[in-house]
Amino acid sequence: MSPKKKTKKHRSLFSRVTIIFILIAAGCFALYVAYLDKVILRKFDGKRWTLPAVVYARPLELYAGLSLSPNQLIKELKLAGYRNEKQKLTPGGYSQTAETVHLVTRDFYFPEGLQRSMNISVTFSGNKIKNISRTDSGENVSIARLDPARIGSFHPKQHHEDRIVLTYAELPEQLIKTLLAVEDQNFYSHRGLSPKSIARALWANIRAGKTVQGGSTLTQQLVKNFFLSNQRTLRRKFNEAIMTLLLEAHYSKQEILTAYANEIFLGQDGARAVHGFGLASQFYFKRDLKDLSASQTALLVGMIKGPSYFDPRRHPKRAQSRRQLVLSIMRDRSIIDDNTLQQALASSLKESTMTTSGFNRFPAFLDLVRRQLRNDYREEDLTNDGMRILTTLDPHVQWQVEEHLGESLKNLRQSTGNKDLEGAVIVSSRESAEILAVAGGSRPLQASFNRALDASRQVGSLIKPALYLSALENKYTLATAVDDRSITLTNQGEKNWKPQNFDRKEHGRVALYQALAQSYNLATVRVGLDVGVKKIIQTVNKLGIDRAFPPYPSFLLGASSMSPIEVSQMYQTMATGGFYIPQRAINCVFASDNTLLNRFGLSVEQRFTPESMYLLNTALQHVVSEGTGKTLSRFIPASFKIAGKTGTSNDLRDSWFAGFSHDKLAVVWLGRDKNKPSGLTGASGALVAWAKIMRSLSLKPLQLTEPPGILWSYVNPVTLEKSNRFHPQSIKLPFLQGTSPNPINSEPRPPYNQLKKPIKSFLEKLRSLFN
């Protein structure tokens, strides 16, 4: 074969191989494009964003006569993201003149439906609301419910992206025009890639000798942020170009623009990433996007280039310079006029720098909310579906708890020398069992060990009311004589147990109510053994503690461990008069479209008779008036008739106080995480913190509801025999019908020698007149 023919044959073979190679490459490219297309369709047609559940405090309801100061109202308005506006008020704005606060509420969905914005004026008289009226008409308003404060959100563990998803119709025209003027002027004419923009950016970068301008279109930016990583590689750029073309082929310009407006990263709120113009508007300006001014719109659009670099809080000069540039572009494109430009250029950045974090402001309370939600919802429901959760948190109560717990711990650390002293607090509504505040430690903003929920510590004498309740249901009365004398218990194969009183003394024969009031251990053990340890454990379970306890005699003196939240539930059942109401931190749950999913109403079960609970709660009032809790009167007047109980564990390791007024119940625990002695009794530690917290709240004096069948009698607390009101030492106690030693309504005339001295003296003088 001639060389010419050989060459021709080789060329033909090479051509065939080249064609085959090209076909294979084209096929692989087509398959890869099909794969990318599938990725786009799957993610863009499905759930585009994982939306965290948003958690709100309880809505503040205003009415005439409510105990609330103007400063308290304004503090709560600020927590809810309200702005202090000096000119015309808009939704989410307020102003104050003398004793009146003017405000405009925001639309909000409640279980009853959408509540529209209201423009109202709230007039105060001292620290109470005097009157509420509509600002425009002057018409009186009987009750005004404010939109609640956002206090946190639940994010997936992998990331903390947050956003408010908007539709295209909710994007203001001014924002759209400004965004396109700055980021992509040819958005509506290109098909995803803009050769002109790329060439213009390339030339600008060559002239500057560095990267000063990008050539990416809005669609390219969306693809990079939504589908790809931030790696600067040729492969990523290749994928970006292909996916940009595919995205433009499948979706309209409106859909792409809307997705971009919701996806774009615009700042950082601690661990929470602020995405989208909707959330950024709330985060930086506390306004809905539709209410932004030209200068505010310019700032947000300008931050796209570098949210951290142009952060108005950390770099105000950079942010202002960037904002001025965007405003100039807005004027050049006739988006704003000269007058608006001048006003915008003169406006301050101050409002955008005074942001309030909406990321888990009260982590201990949110921890409780999350745990209660897990009873009904999966974890992915809480972190992906954008649910809205209305809770029972009362911000004013929470702030008082944080302030006074911190102050008390600071003082007690100094007095005891224990620098690691910690504490926990639970405050709830006495009637509804709604939890109003939770403190898990001395650092309320730190999401660390939540002692209110997880610190399982010996409760000491806090267990005694359950024991005495069992006794009252077992033929004991408040005046039953019990022996406070030494006792030794022998357990086969174990060391003898010989309990002691706190003062190391015996007090002999005392009344049952005195044994509880003075927290006598010896009398308590004797009563407990008579009633039966297992019976008392059953009472503790009925009070709301859902766990098993070993029936050891030491259980009678609180050797068992509970968390503050468990103690709170136990005392809640006492405070409600024997009705078990599960404590709850949630009012209702909405879907992301504001559909009501669940409303957590009251669940009430009567577990004890009102009569026995009335006797017990009367005895708990004696604890405070004359027993181990009597120092409470240094902080709260005795007229409030608080019922409560101190608790101290062995070696002063734990300090407890649980008590309630007519409207609020609170439990306080103080101790050291390593379970070392704290140097505090219940009265010298937890009671002090409890008192400081509760006196800062608007408490109502406790008025126990006396059930039918209760009779009152006078008893001599020394002899424990029947007495009368004329005896100087007699005390009046309630009894169940048929158990009273001396009913008041059948009380005999007292002997002459028992009359009080003034009366006796008067009768003697009267007698002398006739002698």
Side-chain angles (χ1 to χ4, degrees):
M1 185 179 295
S2 66
K4 188 179 286 188
K5 289 183 178 180
K6 286 182 179 181
T7 302
K8 188 175 182 180
K9 184 176 181 181
H10 289 157
R11 288 177 178 173
S12 176
L13 181 62
F14 178 76
S15 298
R16 292 175 187 171
V17 171
T18 302
I19 292 171
I20 293 173
F21 177 78
I22 292 172
L23 290 174
I24 292 174
C28 291
F29 177 73
L31 289 174
Y32 189 63
V33 170
Y35 163 74
L36 294 178
D37 192 55
K38 187 176 181 181
V39 169
I40 288 175
L41 293 175
R42 184 176 64 246
K43 189 169 183 180
F44 218 74
D45 283 344
K47 185 188 291 183
R48 296 180 183 176
W49 298 282
T50 58
L51 300 177
V54 179
V55 186
Y56 297 88
R58 62 92 185 91
L60 177 60
E61 294 186 343
L62 306 177
Y63 53 88
L66 176 66
S67 294
L68 186 76
S69 70
N71 289 340
Q72 288 173 351
L73 174 58
I74 289 174
K75 186 175 182 180
E76 187 149 342
L77 290 175
K78 288 181 178 179
L79 179 68
Y82 276 66
R83 312 167 304 278
N84 187 356
E85 297 181 330
K86 300 190 181 300
Q87 299 181 7
K88 183 179 179 181
L89 296 184
T90 55
Y94 76 91
S95 65
Q96 183 179 10
T97 57
E99 294 298 309
T100 301
V101 175
H102 309 278
L103 62 102
V104 182
T105 66
R106 293 172 293 214
D107 291 353
F108 196 86
Y109 276 91
F110 289 101
E112 301 81 16
L114 176 62
Q115 177 180 285
R116 293 291 184 183
S117 171
M118 290 193 303
N119 191 337
I120 60 174
S121 297
V122 184
T123 304
F124 292 83
S125 176
N127 290 332
K128 282 191 175 182
I129 293 179
K130 181 180 179 181
N131 181 61
I132 306 173
S133 61
R134 292 188 177 273
T135 306
D136 50 359
S137 65
E139 177 187 356
N140 284 338
V141 176
S142 58
I143 186 168
R145 180 171 53 178
L146 308 187
D147 47 296
R150 173 176 173 158
I151 59 173
S153 48
F154 299 139
H155 297 78
K157 293 182 179 180
Q158 296 84 356
H159 59 85
H160 287 90
E161 289 186 7
D162 201 0
R163 56 177 52 81
I164 296 174
V165 177
L166 304 173
T167 64
Y168 181 80
E170 293 173 312
L171 298 178
E173 182 180 3
Q174 179 177 258
L175 172 68
I176 294 174
K177 289 182 177 180
T178 305
L179 176 62
L180 298 183
V182 174
E183 292 295 323
D184 193 349
Q185 299 175 18
N186 301 314
F187 175 71
Y188 285 109
S189 60
H190 63 65
R191 300 303 302 169
L193 301 176
S194 177
K196 289 183 180 179
S197 298
I198 295 173
R200 184 175 62 250
L202 181 61
W203 176 243
N205 295 338
I206 292 174
R207 291 179 60 187
K210 59 181 179 179
T211 303
V212 295
Q213 186 174 336
S216 297
T217 64
L218 219 65
T219 314
Q220 284 178 277
Q221 293 181 45
L222 175 60
V223 167
K224 180 178 67 174
N225 296 329
F226 196 72
F227 297 102
L228 304 173
S229 67
N230 289 322
Q231 292 179 335
R232 293 179 176 273
T233 63
L234 289 175
R235 181 182 178 185
R236 190 194 67 78
K237 292 297 291 183
F238 174 75
N239 287 342
E240 179 185 309
I242 299 300
M243 296 177 83
T244 296
L245 295 172
L246 291 171
L247 192 67
E248 287 272 356
H250 284 296
Y251 301 98
S252 69
K253 291 290 187 179
Q254 282 191 3
E255 288 178 289
I256 293 171
L257 184 59
T258 305
Y260 179 92
N262 287 314
E263 173 62 25
I264 190 65
F265 172 68
L266 287 169
Q268 199 74 29
D269 176 21
R272 179 177 69 149
V274 178
H275 284 258
F277 289 107
L279 182 59
S281 175
Q282 293 287 350
F283 178 62
Y284 289 107
F285 308 113
K286 304 178 184 177
R287 296 175 183 269
D288 291 337
L289 190 60
K290 61 183 175 60
D291 297 324
L292 293 190
S293 65
S295 64
Q296 292 164 340
T297 300
L299 179 62
L300 290 187
V301 172
M303 289 177 66
I304 294 173
K305 187 176 181 181
S308 298
Y309 188 80
F310 295 109
D311 187 337
R313 301 163 301 177
R314 293 186 296 169
H315 308 294
K317 290 185 178 179
R318 294 178 191 170
Q320 186 163 6
S321 177
R322 179 66 178 167
R323 185 191 68 173
Q324 314 301 62
L325 176 61
V326 174
L327 285 169
S328 298
I329 295 174
M330 293 171 72
R331 179 63 191 97
D332 292 341
R333 297 283 174 175
S334 299
I335 300 172
I336 58 176
D337 56 26
D338 288 330
N339 185 42
T340 304
L341 174 63
Q342 295 307 316
Q343 290 179 354
L345 290 173
S347 63
S348 171
L349 282 179
K350 182 179 180 181
E351 187 178 34
S352 61
T353 60
M354 298 178 65
T355 55
T356 301
S357 175
F359 186 69
N360 299 359
R361 170 62 181 82
F362 308 108
F365 184 87
L366 289 168
D367 189 9
L368 176 61
V369 171
R370 192 165 195 158
R371 295 187 195 194
Q372 291 191 353
L373 283 170
R374 284 174 182 158
N375 295 328
D376 298 286
Y377 300 97
R378 302 171 302 167
E379 181 66 20
E380 50 265 37
D381 296 331
L382 303 181
T383 57
N384 295 343
D385 292 343
M387 294 193 306
R388 295 170 53 248
I389 302 155
L390 269 63
T391 72
T392 60
L393 179 105
D394 186 321
H396 174 63
V397 177
Q398 181 71 35
W399 283 322
Q400 297 304 314
V401 166
E402 293 175 358
E403 177 183 348
H404 293 291
L405 175 63
E407 173 192 305
S408 298
L409 285 173
K410 180 181 178 181
N411 294 336
L412 292 170
R413 284 168 180 168
Q414 291 177 350
S415 63
T416 62
N418 295 320
K419 304 302 181 184
D420 58 347
L421 189 67
E422 273 295 348
V425 181
I426 303 281
V427 180
S428 64
S429 166
R430 176 181 170 235
E431 293 184 352
S432 68
E434 293 181 347
I435 294 180
L436 308 177
V438 178
S442 58
R443 298 180 178 179
L445 294 178
Q446 193 174 58
S448 56
F449 180 51
N450 192 344
R451 297 167 186 84
L453 308 185
D454 298 323
S456 185
R457 304 296 291 255
Q458 287 194 0
V459 295
S461 296
L462 284 190
I463 203 70
K464 289 177 181 176
L467 183 152
Y468 286 96
L469 174 60
S470 302
L472 291 168
E473 291 191 318
N474 195 39
K475 298 183 180 179
Y476 279 78
T477 72
L478 293 181
T480 299
V482 296
D483 282 330
D484 187 60
R485 291 186 170 85
S486 178
I487 183 173
T488 301
L489 299 180
T490 303
N491 295 323
Q492 187 175 2
E494 296 183 12
K495 186 178 179 180
N496 291 345
W497 184 53
K498 190 175 182 179
Q500 292 182 319
N501 283 326
F502 183 78
D503 61 2
R504 308 290 179 178
K505 297 178 181 179
E506 298 179 13
H507 302 91
R509 188 166 170 265
V510 297
L512 186 84
Y513 87 90
Q514 291 173 313
L516 176 58
Q518 303 299 335
S519 203
Y520 291 150
N521 289 339
L522 301 179
T524 299
V525 170
R526 289 181 179 276
V527 173
L529 292 175
D530 181 51
V531 174
V533 179
K534 291 184 178 179
K535 170 67 175 175
I536 295 165
I537 291 175
Q538 290 175 1
T539 298
V540 171
N541 294 147
K542 285 174 64 179
L543 284 169
I545 308 301
D546 187 19
R547 68 158 80 176
F549 297 97
Y552 299 138
S554 59
F555 178 83
L556 303 175
L557 298 182
S560 55
S561 295
M562 299 180 193
S563 64
I565 190 69
E566 288 179 310
V567 172
S568 182
Q569 180 63 74
M570 183 169 70
Y571 275 77
Q572 186 79 53
T573 306
M574 299 179 200
T576 53
F579 291 91
Y580 172 71
I581 306 175
Q583 290 187 321
R584 58 193 175 90
I586 308 165
N587 267 328
C588 56
V589 177
F590 294 89
S592 59
D593 62 356
N594 296 314
T595 302
L596 182 64
L597 296 178
N598 199 348
R599 193 166 187 174
F600 295 77
L602 284 177
S603 173
V604 182
E605 177 187 351
Q606 184 173 350
R607 293 189 174 182
F608 300 92
T609 64
E611 293 81 7
S612 59
M613 270 299 177
Y614 182 78
L615 299 181
L616 175 67
N617 288 336
T618 301
L620 290 177
Q621 287 180 316
H622 282 279
V623 172
V624 175
S625 64
E626 62 184 86
T628 58
K630 62 184 178 182
T631 55
L632 189 66
S633 61
R634 290 165 42 198
F635 305 93
I636 299 175
S639 59
F640 278 79
K641 298 185 177 182
I642 301 296
K645 186 70 186 78
T646 55
T648 310
S649 65
N650 288 338
D651 302 321
L652 306 184
R653 297 176 189 273
D654 302 281
S655 171
W656 291 89
F657 188 78
F660 51 92
S661 65
H662 194 75
D663 54 336
K664 292 181 178 66
L665 162 73
V667 173
V668 175
W669 167 85
L670 302 181
R672 301 169 72 183
D673 289 339
K674 293 183 179 180
N675 202 26
K676 294 181 178 180
S678 67
L680 298 169
T681 64
S684 65
L687 181 147
V688 176
W690 189 99
K692 290 181 177 179
I693 291 169
M694 294 293 267
R695 76 175 177 183
S696 69
L697 307 175
S698 298
L699 297 183
K700 296 179 180 178
L702 177 58
Q703 295 179 345
L704 298 176
T705 302
E706 182 178 318
I710 294 292
L711 296 176
W712 289 79
S713 290
Y714 285 96
V715 175
N716 186 320
V718 178
T719 65
L720 303 185
E721 296 175 349
K722 65 181 181 180
S723 183
N724 53 67
R725 63 177 177 270
F726 299 102
H727 192 285
Q729 291 182 310
S730 65
I731 185 169
K732 188 168 69 170
L733 295 174
F735 294 86
L736 295 181
Q737 193 167 13
T739 66
S740 170
N742 183 30
I744 291 176
N745 53 12
S746 61
E747 162 185 307
R749 184 177 180 274
Y752 174 75
N753 61 2
Q754 289 187 11
L755 291 175
K756 293 184 178 180
K757 289 183 179 180
I759 301 177
K760 183 178 180 181
S761 176
F762 171 76
L763 291 177
E764 287 177 345
K765 289 180 180 179
L766 187 64
R767 185 182 300 162
S768 66
L769 295 176
F770 295 94
N771 293 335

